[in-house]
């Protein structure tokens, strides 16, 4: 396995380790569910859910994450250690990304402001409201076309210049800790993201 592939796997690993650590109650609830095989109740922080049933070796659960947790997850997933295409991600009412793009061979800083939406497949759509590329005055579509040409192909981010949105490919964030992660709902007023996790049962026994 190449070093770059190992580094990417390590980033996914640490992203999900941080996610699980920040939600200790999730692990406790899942452990109880594992040994009791009982359905969770409405007052528990974790519940069995989802249109696709987990296998006998998996647990499927939902958890509510705040902006800080989502920011940590996106930062770990999108910021490449050897590339400055994306250098920071911040999550508030809007999701902001900063980085550098090359214009005529010159690195130019950019700032993207986008509104998040959950997709039917569980991925995260970011509807781009504005992009500032240095001091240049370019249409959003043109700037996003530059972005699409320069972002690494292995980055879990789709760029659609025509419709002016980004898609964070959560379905590509698979690790030994988490088999699948989906965004089910976004409560922008309360700054909460409802996330569905599919986790191998064996991880809770280690």
């Amino acid at each position: 396995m190449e070093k770059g592939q190992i580094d990417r796997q390590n980033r996914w690993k640490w992203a999900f380790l941080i996610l699980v650590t920040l939600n200790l109650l999730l692990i406790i609830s899942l452990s109880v569910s594992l040994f009791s095989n009982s359905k969770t109740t409405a007052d528990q922080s974790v519940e069995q859910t989802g249109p696709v049933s987990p296998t006998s070796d998996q647990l499927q659960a939902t958890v509510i994450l705040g902006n800080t947790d989502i920011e940590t997850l996106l930062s770990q997933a999108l910021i490449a250690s050897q590339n400055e295409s994306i250098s920071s991600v911040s999550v508030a009412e809007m999701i902001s990304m900063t980085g550098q793009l090359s214009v005529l061979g010159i690195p130019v800083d950019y700032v993207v402001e986008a509104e998040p939406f959950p997709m039917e497949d569980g991925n995260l759509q970011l509807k781009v409201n504005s992009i500032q590329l240095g001091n240049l005055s370019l249409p959003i579509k043109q700037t996003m076309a530059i972005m699409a040409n320069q972002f690494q192909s292995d980055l879990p981010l789709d760029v659609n210049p025509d419709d002016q949105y980004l898609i964070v490919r959560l379905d590509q964030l698979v690790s030994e800790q988490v088999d699948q992660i989906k965004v089910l709902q976004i409560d922008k007023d309360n700054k909460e993201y409802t996330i569905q996790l599919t986790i191998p049962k064996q991880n809770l026994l280690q």
Side-chain angles (χ1 to χ4, degrees):
M1 184 179 292
E2 297 180 358
K3 183 178 183 298
Q5 292 176 318
I6 295 175
D7 289 340
R8 287 193 297 274
Q9 289 182 355
N10 286 337
R11 289 202 300 273
W12 307 153
K13 174 180 177 181
W14 283 111
F16 288 115
L17 282 176
I18 292 171
L19 180 65
V20 172
T21 299
L22 291 173
N23 294 276
L24 184 58
L25 291 178
L26 169 64
I27 297 302
I28 296 173
S29 298
L30 283 174
S31 299
V32 171
S33 176
L34 174 62
F35 290 107
S36 65
N37 290 321
S38 62
K39 293 182 180 179
T40 55
T41 58
D43 61 341
Q44 290 177 305
S45 60
V46 179
E47 60 180 352
Q48 301 294 336
T49 186
V52 180
S53 299
T55 67
S56 59
D57 296 327
Q58 296 174 319
L59 285 174
Q60 199 171 74
T62 59
V63 60
I64 306 299
L65 300 181
N67 286 351
T68 301
D69 298 337
I70 294 298
E71 183 175 305
T72 299
L73 175 62
L74 296 182
S75 296
Q76 292 290 339
L78 297 178
I79 297 175
S81 60
Q82 297 179 349
N83 192 295
E84 294 184 349
S85 293
I86 301 176
S87 58
S88 72
V89 178
S90 62
V91 179
E93 182 178 348
M94 306 286 284
I95 292 182
S96 302
M97 296 193 315
T98 66
Q100 287 187 343
L101 296 172
S102 178
V103 179
L104 300 177
I106 300 173
V108 179
D109 294 335
Y110 72 82
V111 179
V112 174
E113 294 283 343
E115 186 175 0
F117 295 94
M119 301 182 67
E120 290 185 2
D121 60 5
N123 288 315
L124 181 63
Q125 184 185 87
L126 305 178
K127 182 63 178 177
V128 176
N129 289 346
S130 67
I131 298 182
Q132 182 62 47
L133 182 61
N135 294 322
L136 301 176
S137 297
L138 296 176
I140 291 177
K141 180 178 179 179
Q142 185 172 346
T143 304
M144 290 188 68
I146 298 173
M147 186 179 291
N149 289 331
Q150 296 186 23
F151 278 3
Q152 294 177 329
S153 60
D154 59 352
L155 192 68
L157 187 71
D158 292 344
V159 182
N160 188 320
D162 291 333
D163 296 322
Q164 300 181 11
Y165 65 77
L166 307 168
I167 297 177
V168 181
R169 294 293 304 274
L170 299 176
D171 57 348
Q172 295 182 4
L173 305 186
V174 178
S175 73
E176 294 180 358
Q177 285 70 40
V178 175
D179 290 336
Q180 188 179 63
I181 179 170
K182 292 183 175 183
V183 177
L184 301 182
Q185 184 179 352
I186 301 175
D187 185 340
K188 296 174 183 176
D189 291 334
N190 294 315
K191 303 176 182 179
E192 293 178 341
Y193 288 67
T194 302
I195 303 295
Q196 178 180 282
L197 300 174
T198 302
I199 304 172
K201 286 182 178 179
Q202 63 180 4
N203 287 349
L204 300 178
L205 298 176
Q206 295 176 352

